[in-house]
Amino acid sequence: MTGLLLALTAAAAANAPSVAAAAKAEKPTVSKFLAPGELDPALLLPPPPADGSPETLAELAELHRIETSRTPERFALAKHDDEFEDVTSIAMPLGPAFDLSRFPATATLFADVNNEASLAVRRYKPFFARTRPITADPSLHPCKHGEDGKTAYPSGHSTMGYSAAAVLSNLMPGNAQVVQARAADYAESRLVCGAHYRRDIEAGHVLGVALVAELMTKPAFRTELEAARAELTAAHIAP
């Protein structure tokens, strides 16, 4: 796990300029690719369990078990994953060759994927208004405080991670297995952090994959995807 954390830190440092630029950019308020009403939260995801329900209490008990058994190394990785909410964390298995500062078309593609995931999550969270674990149970010891209120469902990190993994898998099918495994571990970090329930990260998985499936039907998105594919293929990163 120490090696994984070091690799992640190195990958984040290599992509620091692009990540910093994305963080400073003003977040869009409308989708670049989707029409209003697409990916309706009422149609895509089931409602989460109610506060205080047996299902939610069982999920809280799981978070306490995870907290009790988490190692310092796994907790450090979860904190890292909490901080770096972008494709660089999901692309870690690809190594230092996947450097967004070298690939402007690829950087644009994943900035747009990240924005689309963010927009979807900002629409879904208030629709479902599920109480965060730390609000429901202040005895938890999360990665950080401030992730409270009614913003649990779906997990934004998980949505981003699975959407980025779906696009990476399309660009580099030979690396799909390791990228998808990394996305799953990234989502699991939200439980290690005590920031989300199990159903929150499962909903993020569904939303992330559904989002990319819908984006793939849009010609403008496909144009960006193919530009990134050409760029990575020319650099002998994508087959």
Side-chain angles (χ1 to χ4, degrees):
M1 187 66 71
T2 300
L4 176 59
L5 183 58
L6 288 173
L8 281 166
T9 303
N15 285 280
S18 57
V19 173
K24 291 179 181 178
E26 184 177 350
K27 289 185 177 181
T29 57
V30 295
S31 172
K32 185 175 180 179
F33 305 104
L34 305 181
E38 292 185 287
L39 288 183
D40 187 341
L43 300 178
L44 183 61
L45 294 177
D51 292 349
S53 66
E55 294 83 1
T56 292
L57 293 177
E59 287 187 293
L60 277 171
E62 180 189 26
L63 293 182
H64 279 286
R65 290 194 298 272
I66 291 171
E67 181 179 298
T68 300
S69 62
R70 68 190 180 194
T71 65
E73 290 179 340
R74 186 63 184 87
F75 194 38
L77 176 59
K79 287 181 176 180
H80 176 280
D81 290 344
D82 175 79
E83 181 179 356
F84 289 92
E85 192 176 355
D86 60 71
V87 69
T88 59
S89 286
I90 307 305
M92 181 279 302
L94 305 179
F98 188 83
D99 180 356
L100 291 180
S101 67
R102 296 172 52 208
F103 306 118
T106 305
T108 295
L109 171 68
F110 281 102
D112 284 342
V113 170
N114 205 27
N115 287 335
E116 294 295 328
S118 178
L119 283 169
V121 168
R122 277 186 271 161
R123 183 183 179 196
Y124 275 58
K125 283 181 181 289
F127 180 85
F128 291 108
R130 189 183 195 190
T131 301
R132 287 269 192 168
I134 191 62
T135 303
D137 186 352
S139 69
L140 288 167
H141 297 87
C143 286
K144 68 181 182 186
H145 291 277
E147 293 185 317
D148 50 13
K150 292 184 173 292
T151 58
Y153 185 92
S155 161
H157 280 72
S158 302
T159 301
M160 184 288 301
Y162 282 113
S163 61
V167 176
L168 282 170
S169 296
N170 183 281
L171 291 171
M172 308 178 194
N175 292 310
Q177 190 171 26
V178 293
V179 166
Q180 293 292 337
R182 172 59 190 145
D185 195 52
Y186 183 82
E188 193 75 14
S189 284
R190 305 311 287 153
L191 306 185
V192 177
C193 271
H196 284 284
Y197 302 100
R198 175 71 62 186
R199 283 178 178 82
D200 302 343
I201 67 171
E202 291 172 350
H205 190 179
V206 173
L207 178 55
V209 172
L211 171 63
V212 173
E214 192 65 33
L215 290 174
M216 289 289 189
T217 69
K218 309 301 179 183
F221 181 80
R222 294 287 306 189
T223 296
E224 287 194 8
L225 181 77
E226 295 310 319
R229 191 189 314 279
E231 191 175 63
L232 296 174
T233 300
H236 305 289
I237 295 178

